[in-house]
Amino acid sequence: MTLTFHKYQGTGNDFVLLDDRSQQFDVTDYCLVRHLCDRRRGIGADGLILLRNHPGYDFEMVYFNADGYLGSMCGNGGRCTVAFARHLGVMQEKTRFLAADGAHEAHIDAAGLVHLRMQDVLGQQEIDELGVFLDTGSPHLVRFQPASTLAELNVVVEGRAIRNSERFRDKGTNVNFVESPVAPDQPWQVRTYERGVEDETFSCGTGVTAVALAASRRGAVSPVRLRTPGGDLQVAFEARPDGSFSQVYLSGPALRVFGGQVDV
C-alpha cells in the first residue's frame, strides 16, 4: 500500500499528517504508526495525525503518539492540523473541529499564525516539591527551575524519572521544566519531556499552555510569551476567581515542511 503524506512542524514539534477523509487508515495498527514516526526507518515525527470527516464539524483530528498509540490532545499538532486543513481546502481562515478532548475553534491570521482555542482549565494542583500539575487537554507537571540552570538540565533523565514515578506511573505525565524571564520583556524558557515520545521534544503546545497558566501565580500576565528549543509561542487566557482559566488560546506558526508518498 502507498500512503500520501504531508510533514508539518510547529516550533520544531513535527508531525506526519494524512488526509484520511475516506477513513481507510487502520487506527489499531500501532506498528505502522510507530514505523512512520521512526526517524531512521520511516518518515520521522513526534506523532502522526489523521484528518477525517465528522458530522457537525469541519473535520476531526485523530492524534497518535510516536509510540504508535492514540494520544490525548496535542496543541502544536492541532495547530498543524488547522494549517493542513486550509492546505486541503477544508477551511479558510476559521474552523471548528473535533479532537480527543472535545471541540476546538481556531483561526489563521494574515501573518499565517495559527490561534487555537484550548479547553477551559479547571485549575492547578500543587504536587509537593515536584511542582504544579494541570490538565490542558493532556496531563502536565510544571517544575520551575532555579535561574540559569535550564540550559544544562538533563531533561530526558529528570523527565523520565518523574513520568515513571509512583504517582504518575499508571497514566504517565508530560514534564515541563521552566525558567523565569530575566526581564519583564523576555519570554519564559521551557523544555519538555513528552510521554508517548518518551524523550525531550523541541516544543509542546499543551505544555507551554500549562506553563503559562502555572506562571500566572508567579506574576505572568496574559498574553504570556514562551520560548522553547524550537521557537516562540504565545498563550492568552482569562483567569477566573475560582482558580480556573477560560478563553485559553495557543498561538504560533505551523508550517508544511514537505510531502510525498511512502510504501507500507
Side-chain angles (χ1 to χ4, degrees):
M1 179 174 67
T2 299
L3 287 176
T4 298
F5 71 89
H6 302 257
K7 179 76 175 284
Y8 275 74
Q9 64 90 8
T11 53
N13 205 186
D14 61 340
F15 309 94
V16 173
L17 283 114
L18 303 178
D19 178 1
D20 193 41
R21 286 175 287 178
S22 60
Q23 297 198 191
Q24 295 182 338
F25 192 90
D26 182 0
V27 297
T28 66
D29 194 347
Y30 70 90
C31 289
L32 175 56
V33 175
R34 186 181 299 170
H35 168 71
L36 293 172
C37 292
D38 192 301
R39 296 193 183 277
R40 295 186 181 273
R41 298 177 178 86
I43 300 166
D46 293 327
L48 181 142
I49 300 171
L50 307 178
L51 186 149
R52 287 184 154 186
N53 291 323
H54 196 285
Y57 299 91
D58 292 328
F59 59 90
E60 179 183 13
M61 165 191 169
V62 181
Y63 174 71
F64 300 83
N65 287 312
D67 63 6
Y69 295 100
L70 285 166
S72 49
M73 179 56 185
C74 177
N76 286 332
R79 294 190 306 99
C80 286
T81 308
V82 170
F84 182 46
R86 186 165 76 168
H87 173 79
L88 295 176
V90 173
M91 48 85 63
Q92 295 302 317
E93 281 73 37
K94 296 181 179 180
T95 188
R96 183 171 181 267
F97 69 95
L98 187 65
D101 62 340
H104 289 265
E105 297 174 354
H107 68 274
I108 303 176
D109 67 21
L113 298 180
V114 180
H115 305 267
L116 171 64
R117 183 173 179 179
M118 310 294 283
Q119 301 295 345
D120 292 354
V121 178
L122 296 181
Q124 30 189 303
Q125 176 185 357
E126 298 288 345
I127 307 292
D128 304 322
E129 73 283 355
L130 287 178
V132 179
F133 182 80
L134 303 93
D135 191 322
T136 54
S138 288
H140 282 276
L141 184 79
V142 177
R143 194 174 86 179
F144 293 94
Q145 298 294 121
S148 304
T149 63
L150 187 61
E152 301 302 322
L153 183 71
N154 192 325
V155 168
V156 175
V157 171
E158 297 286 338
R160 187 169 290 161
I162 296 172
R163 181 255 189 271
N164 292 299
S165 65
E166 183 176 354
R167 179 183 283 272
F168 297 112
R169 186 177 297 126
D170 288 346
K171 295 183 178 180
T173 187
N174 303 281
V175 187
N176 306 272
F177 301 92
V178 188
E179 198 170 288
S180 302
V182 296
D185 61 341
Q186 296 297 308
W188 294 73
Q189 305 284 334
V190 184
R191 294 176 65 187
T192 301
Y193 179 90
E194 282 200 53
R195 68 170 186 173
V197 181
E198 305 307 335
D199 203 347
E200 180 179 8
T201 56
F202 274 36
S203 177
C204 176
T206 53
V208 298
T209 302
V211 169
L213 302 184
S216 67
R217 285 188 174 180
R218 295 181 171 231
V221 178
S222 175
V224 180
R225 291 175 55 218
L226 306 109
R227 179 158 295 161
T228 71
D232 290 0
L233 291 162
Q234 181 173 284
V235 176
F237 56 87
E238 292 182 5
R240 293 173 173 170
D242 63 359
S244 63
F245 301 89
S246 62
Q247 296 294 319
V248 182
Y249 276 87
L250 170 67
S251 301
L255 303 172
R256 185 175 184 272
V257 182
F258 62 89
Q261 294 184 319
V262 58
D263 294 330
V264 294

mmCIF file of all heavy atoms in Angstrom, residues 97-130:
data_model
loop_
_atom_site.group_PDB
_atom_site.id
_atom_site.type_symbol
_atom_site.label_atom_id
_atom_site.label_comp_id
_atom_site.label_asym_id
_atom_site.label_seq_id
_atom_site.Cartn_x
_atom_site.Cartn_y
_atom_site.Cartn_z
ATOM 1 N N PHE A 97 -13.360 22.207 14.887
ATOM 2 C CA PHE A 97 -13.051 20.803 14.649
ATOM 3 C C PHE A 97 -13.091 20.015 15.947
ATOM 4 O O PHE A 97 -13.124 20.578 17.046
ATOM 5 C CB PHE A 97 -11.689 20.663 13.960
ATOM 6 C CG PHE A 97 -10.505 21.020 14.824
ATOM 7 C CD1 PHE A 97 -9.807 20.036 15.521
ATOM 8 C CD2 PHE A 97 -10.071 22.336 14.917
ATOM 9 C CE1 PHE A 97 -8.719 20.369 16.317
ATOM 10 C CE2 PHE A 97 -8.979 22.672 15.702
ATOM 11 C CZ PHE A 97 -8.301 21.673 16.404
ATOM 12 N N LEU A 98 -13.070 18.691 15.798
ATOM 13 C CA LEU A 98 -13.143 17.791 16.943
ATOM 14 C C LEU A 98 -11.789 17.136 17.172
ATOM 15 O O LEU A 98 -11.125 16.711 16.222
ATOM 16 C CB LEU A 98 -14.201 16.718 16.694
ATOM 17 C CG LEU A 98 -14.534 15.791 17.859
ATOM 18 C CD1 LEU A 98 -15.176 16.570 19.003
ATOM 19 C CD2 LEU A 98 -15.464 14.665 17.396
ATOM 20 N N ALA A 99 -11.384 17.064 18.447
ATOM 21 C CA ALA A 99 -10.142 16.391 18.831
ATOM 22 C C ALA A 99 -10.424 15.453 19.993
ATOM 23 O O ALA A 99 -11.580 15.298 20.418
ATOM 24 C CB ALA A 99 -9.074 17.422 19.200
ATOM 25 N N ALA A 100 -9.387 14.848 20.536
ATOM 26 C CA ALA A 100 -9.560 13.843 21.589
ATOM 27 C C ALA A 100 -10.233 14.408 22.825
ATOM 28 O O ALA A 100 -10.943 13.684 23.540
ATOM 29 C CB ALA A 100 -8.201 13.245 21.950
ATOM 30 N N ASP A 101 -10.033 15.691 23.102
ATOM 31 C CA ASP A 101 -10.604 16.287 24.315
ATOM 32 C C ASP A 101 -11.841 17.123 24.039
ATOM 33 O O ASP A 101 -12.294 17.868 24.907
ATOM 34 C CB ASP A 101 -9.547 17.138 25.030
ATOM 35 C CG ASP A 101 -9.055 18.303 24.177
ATOM 36 O OD1 ASP A 101 -9.225 18.253 22.936
ATOM 37 O OD2 ASP A 101 -8.503 19.259 24.744
ATOM 38 N N GLY A 102 -12.393 17.022 22.836
ATOM 39 C CA GLY A 102 -13.621 17.738 22.527
ATOM 40 C C GLY A 102 -13.469 18.722 21.389
ATOM 41 O O GLY A 102 -12.511 18.652 20.601
ATOM 42 N N ALA A 103 -14.395 19.659 21.296
ATOM 43 C CA ALA A 103 -14.428 20.614 20.192
ATOM 44 C C ALA A 103 -13.434 21.745 20.418
ATOM 45 O O ALA A 103 -13.203 22.182 21.552
ATOM 46 C CB ALA A 103 -15.827 21.189 20.038
ATOM 47 N N HIS A 104 -12.852 22.218 19.307
ATOM 48 C CA HIS A 104 -11.924 23.346 19.335
ATOM 49 C C HIS A 104 -12.267 24.318 18.217
ATOM 50 O O HIS A 104 -12.748 23.910 17.156
ATOM 51 C CB HIS A 104 -10.478 22.877 19.138
ATOM 52 C CG HIS A 104 -9.912 22.141 20.308
ATOM 53 N ND1 HIS A 104 -9.163 22.755 21.280
ATOM 54 C CD2 HIS A 104 -10.003 20.830 20.650
ATOM 55 C CE1 HIS A 104 -8.810 21.850 22.184
ATOM 56 N NE2 HIS A 104 -9.305 20.680 21.830
ATOM 57 N N GLU A 105 -11.980 25.588 18.464
ATOM 58 C CA GLU A 105 -12.066 26.609 17.426
ATOM 59 C C GLU A 105 -10.655 27.113 17.130
ATOM 60 O O GLU A 105 -9.781 27.077 18.005
ATOM 61 C CB GLU A 105 -12.945 27.769 17.889
ATOM 62 C CG GLU A 105 -14.384 27.376 18.156
ATOM 63 C CD GLU A 105 -15.190 28.516 18.763
ATOM 64 O OE1 GLU A 105 -14.571 29.565 19.081
ATOM 65 O OE2 GLU A 105 -16.409 28.352 18.924
ATOM 66 N N ALA A 106 -10.446 27.581 15.920
ATOM 67 C CA ALA A 106 -9.137 28.112 15.549
ATOM 68 C C ALA A 106 -9.290 29.070 14.379
ATOM 69 O O ALA A 106 -10.267 29.008 13.635
ATOM 70 C CB ALA A 106 -8.177 26.974 15.170
ATOM 71 N N HIS A 107 -8.313 29.941 14.251
ATOM 72 C CA HIS A 107 -8.255 30.794 13.059
ATOM 73 C C HIS A 107 -6.806 31.054 12.693
ATOM 74 O O HIS A 107 -5.898 30.926 13.523
ATOM 75 C CB HIS A 107 -9.013 32.111 13.277
ATOM 76 C CG HIS A 107 -8.382 33.027 14.281
ATOM 77 N ND1 HIS A 107 -8.621 32.941 15.637
ATOM 78 C CD2 HIS A 107 -7.513 34.068 14.129
ATOM 79 C CE1 HIS A 107 -7.944 33.877 16.278
ATOM 80 N NE2 HIS A 107 -7.264 34.581 15.379
ATOM 81 N N ILE A 108 -6.600 31.398 11.443
ATOM 82 C CA ILE A 108 -5.272 31.712 10.914
ATOM 83 C C ILE A 108 -5.262 33.184 10.552
ATOM 84 O O ILE A 108 -6.125 33.656 9.809
ATOM 85 C CB ILE A 108 -4.941 30.845 9.682
ATOM 86 C CG1 ILE A 108 -5.040 29.354 10.038
ATOM 87 C CG2 ILE A 108 -3.554 31.182 9.147
ATOM 88 C CD1 ILE A 108 -4.834 28.416 8.858
ATOM 89 N N ASP A 109 -4.295 33.927 11.078
ATOM 90 C CA ASP A 109 -4.268 35.362 10.831
ATOM 91 C C ASP A 109 -3.510 35.696 9.549
ATOM 92 O O ASP A 109 -3.007 34.805 8.847
ATOM 93 C CB ASP A 109 -3.703 36.117 12.045
ATOM 94 C CG ASP A 109 -2.228 35.842 12.312
ATOM 95 O OD1 ASP A 109 -1.500 35.392 11.389
ATOM 96 O OD2 ASP A 109 -1.774 36.095 13.451
ATOM 97 N N ALA A 110 -3.426 36.972 9.234
ATOM 98 C CA ALA A 110 -2.821 37.417 7.980
ATOM 99 C C ALA A 110 -1.341 37.060 7.890
ATOM 100 O O ALA A 110 -0.790 36.915 6.800
ATOM 101 C CB ALA A 110 -3.012 38.930 7.816
ATOM 102 N N ALA A 111 -0.686 36.918 9.038
ATOM 103 C CA ALA A 111 0.733 36.556 9.060
ATOM 104 C C ALA A 111 0.953 35.051 8.985
ATOM 105 O O ALA A 111 2.100 34.593 8.968
ATOM 106 C CB ALA A 111 1.390 37.118 10.317
ATOM 107 N N GLY A 112 -0.129 34.279 8.962
ATOM 108 C CA GLY A 112 -0.016 32.832 8.880
ATOM 109 C C GLY A 112 0.063 32.136 10.225
ATOM 110 O O GLY A 112 0.213 30.904 10.271
ATOM 111 N N LEU A 113 -0.036 32.883 11.326
ATOM 112 C CA LEU A 113 -0.007 32.265 12.645
ATOM 113 C C LEU A 113 -1.344 31.602 12.945
ATOM 114 O O LEU A 113 -2.400 32.136 12.600
ATOM 115 C CB LEU A 113 0.305 33.300 13.719
ATOM 116 C CG LEU A 113 1.669 34.001 13.630
ATOM 117 C CD1 LEU A 113 1.823 34.991 14.770
ATOM 118 C CD2 LEU A 113 2.804 32.989 13.633
ATOM 119 N N VAL A 114 -1.283 30.455 13.586
ATOM 120 C CA VAL A 114 -2.491 29.713 13.927
ATOM 121 C C VAL A 114 -2.813 29.948 15.397
ATOM 122 O O VAL A 114 -1.974 29.733 16.273
ATOM 123 C CB VAL A 114 -2.318 28.210 13.662
ATOM 124 C CG1 VAL A 114 -3.601 27.459 14.021
ATOM 125 C CG2 VAL A 114 -1.948 27.957 12.210
ATOM 126 N N HIS A 115 -4.054 30.387 15.649
ATOM 127 C CA HIS A 115 -4.532 30.662 17.001
ATOM 128 C C HIS A 115 -5.565 29.596 17.348
ATOM 129 O O HIS A 115 -6.656 29.569 16.766
ATOM 130 C CB HIS A 115 -5.149 32.057 17.083
ATOM 131 C CG HIS A 115 -4.227 33.146 16.626
ATOM 132 N ND1 HIS A 115 -3.413 33.841 17.493
ATOM 133 C CD2 HIS A 115 -3.966 33.637 15.372
ATOM 134 C CE1 HIS A 115 -2.705 34.738 16.813
ATOM 135 N NE2 HIS A 115 -3.022 34.629 15.532
ATOM 136 N N LEU A 116 -5.220 28.731 18.286
ATOM 137 C CA LEU A 116 -6.039 27.580 18.631
ATOM 138 C C LEU A 116 -6.632 27.760 20.025
ATOM 139 O O LEU A 116 -5.890 27.950 21.000
ATOM 140 C CB LEU A 116 -5.185 26.307 18.599
ATOM 141 C CG LEU A 116 -5.817 25.022 19.134
ATOM 142 C CD1 LEU A 116 -7.006 24.604 18.282
ATOM 143 C CD2 LEU A 116 -4.778 23.911 19.193
ATOM 144 N N ARG A 117 -7.957 27.716 20.101
ATOM 145 C CA ARG A 117 -8.590 27.791 21.421
ATOM 146 C C ARG A 117 -8.526 26.433 22.099
ATOM 147 O O ARG A 117 -8.998 25.424 21.563
ATOM 148 C CB ARG A 117 -10.040 28.256 21.306
ATOM 149 C CG ARG A 117 -10.684 28.406 22.689
ATOM 150 C CD ARG A 117 -12.057 29.032 22.637
ATOM 151 N NE ARG A 117 -12.631 29.121 23.979
ATOM 152 C CZ ARG A 117 -13.818 29.652 24.255
ATOM 153 N NH1 ARG A 117 -14.562 30.156 23.266
ATOM 154 N NH2 ARG A 117 -14.263 29.692 25.492
ATOM 155 N N MET A 118 -7.938 26.419 23.283
ATOM 156 C CA MET A 118 -7.839 25.213 24.080
ATOM 157 C C MET A 118 -9.073 25.099 24.981
ATOM 158 O O MET A 118 -9.866 26.038 25.108
ATOM 159 C CB MET A 118 -6.565 25.246 24.922
ATOM 160 C CG MET A 118 -5.297 25.570 24.130
ATOM 161 S SD MET A 118 -4.872 24.298 22.931
ATOM 162 C CE MET A 118 -4.168 23.059 24.018
ATOM 163 N N GLN A 119 -9.219 23.946 25.620
ATOM 164 C CA GLN A 119 -10.322 23.773 26.550
ATOM 165 C C GLN A 119 -10.106 24.623 27.805
ATOM 166 O O GLN A 119 -8.970 24.956 28.160
ATOM 167 C CB GLN A 119 -10.435 22.298 26.959
ATOM 168 C CG GLN A 119 -10.662 21.345 25.799
ATOM 169 C CD GLN A 119 -11.990 21.557 25.090
ATOM 170 O OE1 GLN A 119 -12.888 22.232 25.595
ATOM 171 N NE2 GLN A 119 -12.127 20.980 23.899
ATOM 172 N N ASP A 120 -11.190 24.998 28.454
ATOM 173 C CA ASP A 120 -11.059 25.651 29.752
ATOM 174 C C ASP A 120 -10.315 24.713 30.702
ATOM 175 O O ASP A 120 -10.464 23.482 30.628
ATOM 176 C CB ASP A 120 -12.428 25.973 30.338
ATOM 177 C CG ASP A 120 -13.163 27.062 29.556
ATOM 178 O OD1 ASP A 120 -12.551 27.648 28.633
ATOM 179 O OD2 ASP A 120 -14.333 27.312 29.868
ATOM 180 N N VAL A 121 -9.526 25.291 31.577
ATOM 181 C CA VAL A 121 -8.719 24.505 32.520
ATOM 182 C C VAL A 121 -9.235 24.771 33.927
ATOM 183 O O VAL A 121 -9.342 25.931 34.348
ATOM 184 C CB VAL A 121 -7.230 24.869 32.404
ATOM 185 C CG1 VAL A 121 -6.397 24.099 33.424
ATOM 186 C CG2 VAL A 121 -6.724 24.575 30.980
ATOM 187 N N LEU A 122 -9.553 23.708 34.650
ATOM 188 C CA LEU A 122 -10.242 23.846 35.934
ATOM 189 C C LEU A 122 -9.363 24.404 37.035
ATOM 190 O O LEU A 122 -9.847 24.985 37.987
ATOM 191 C CB LEU A 122 -10.820 22.491 36.356
ATOM 192 C CG LEU A 122 -11.911 21.928 35.434
ATOM 193 C CD1 LEU A 122 -12.430 20.603 35.957
ATOM 194 C CD2 LEU A 122 -13.055 22.928 35.281
ATOM 195 N N GLY A 123 -8.073 24.236 36.921
ATOM 196 C CA GLY A 123 -7.205 24.769 37.967
ATOM 197 C C GLY A 123 -5.879 24.050 37.981
ATOM 198 O O GLY A 123 -5.535 23.315 37.054
ATOM 199 N N GLN A 124 -5.108 24.250 39.041
ATOM 200 C CA GLN A 124 -3.798 23.639 39.161
ATOM 201 C C GLN A 124 -3.639 23.040 40.543
ATOM 202 O O GLN A 124 -4.225 23.515 41.513
ATOM 203 C CB GLN A 124 -2.688 24.640 38.868
ATOM 204 C CG GLN A 124 -3.000 26.064 39.209
ATOM 205 C CD GLN A 124 -1.963 27.031 38.695
ATOM 206 O OE1 GLN A 124 -0.800 26.927 39.011
ATOM 207 N NE2 GLN A 124 -2.390 27.993 37.904
ATOM 208 N N GLN A 125 -2.856 21.981 40.596
ATOM 209 C CA GLN A 125 -2.688 21.238 41.832
ATOM 210 C C GLN A 125 -1.208 21.195 42.203
ATOM 211 O O GLN A 125 -0.363 20.769 41.408
ATOM 212 C CB GLN A 125 -3.224 19.806 41.643
ATOM 213 C CG GLN A 125 -3.029 18.901 42.842
ATOM 214 C CD GLN A 125 -3.461 17.482 42.543
ATOM 215 O OE1 GLN A 125 -3.946 17.178 41.467
ATOM 216 N NE2 GLN A 125 -3.276 16.595 43.509
ATOM 217 N N GLU A 126 -0.900 21.633 43.400
ATOM 218 C CA GLU A 126 0.474 21.567 43.877
ATOM 219 C C GLU A 126 0.837 20.108 44.159
ATOM 220 O O GLU A 126 0.086 19.380 44.807
ATOM 221 C CB GLU A 126 0.650 22.398 45.149
ATOM 222 C CG GLU A 126 0.364 23.884 44.964
ATOM 223 C CD GLU A 126 1.447 24.599 44.162
ATOM 224 O OE1 GLU A 126 2.533 24.025 43.990
ATOM 225 O OE2 GLU A 126 1.185 25.732 43.718
ATOM 226 N N ILE A 127 1.995 19.675 43.665
ATOM 227 C CA ILE A 127 2.463 18.301 43.872
ATOM 228 C C ILE A 127 3.741 18.346 44.708
ATOM 229 O O ILE A 127 4.855 18.194 44.190
ATOM 230 C CB ILE A 127 2.708 17.573 42.537
ATOM 231 C CG1 ILE A 127 1.475 17.641 41.640
ATOM 232 C CG2 ILE A 127 3.097 16.110 42.790
ATOM 233 C CD1 ILE A 127 0.289 16.851 42.143
ATOM 234 N N ASP A 128 3.612 18.625 45.964
ATOM 235 C CA ASP A 128 4.757 18.634 46.872
ATOM 236 C C ASP A 128 5.919 19.413 46.266
ATOM 237 O O ASP A 128 5.736 20.495 45.725
ATOM 238 C CB ASP A 128 5.164 17.200 47.232
ATOM 239 C CG ASP A 128 4.007 16.427 47.833
ATOM 240 O OD1 ASP A 128 3.242 17.043 48.606
ATOM 241 O OD2 ASP A 128 3.847 15.250 47.522
ATOM 242 N N GLU A 129 7.118 18.807 46.331
ATOM 243 C CA GLU A 129 8.292 19.502 45.809
ATOM 244 C C GLU A 129 8.434 19.356 44.301
ATOM 245 O O GLU A 129 9.280 19.998 43.675
ATOM 246 C CB GLU A 129 9.569 18.977 46.489
ATOM 247 C CG GLU A 129 10.016 17.595 46.060
ATOM 248 C CD GLU A 129 9.186 16.466 46.692
ATOM 249 O OE1 GLU A 129 8.330 16.771 47.536
ATOM 250 O OE2 GLU A 129 9.413 15.305 46.333
ATOM 251 N N LEU A 130 7.590 18.523 43.678
ATOM 252 C CA LEU A 130 7.731 18.270 42.247
ATOM 253 C C LEU A 130 7.334 19.479 41.408
ATOM 254 O O LEU A 130 7.938 19.760 40.383
ATOM 255 C CB LEU A 130 6.888 17.058 41.838
ATOM 256 C CG LEU A 130 7.403 15.686 42.269
ATOM 257 C CD1 LEU A 130 6.431 14.606 41.825
ATOM 258 C CD2 LEU A 130 8.790 15.426 41.705
#
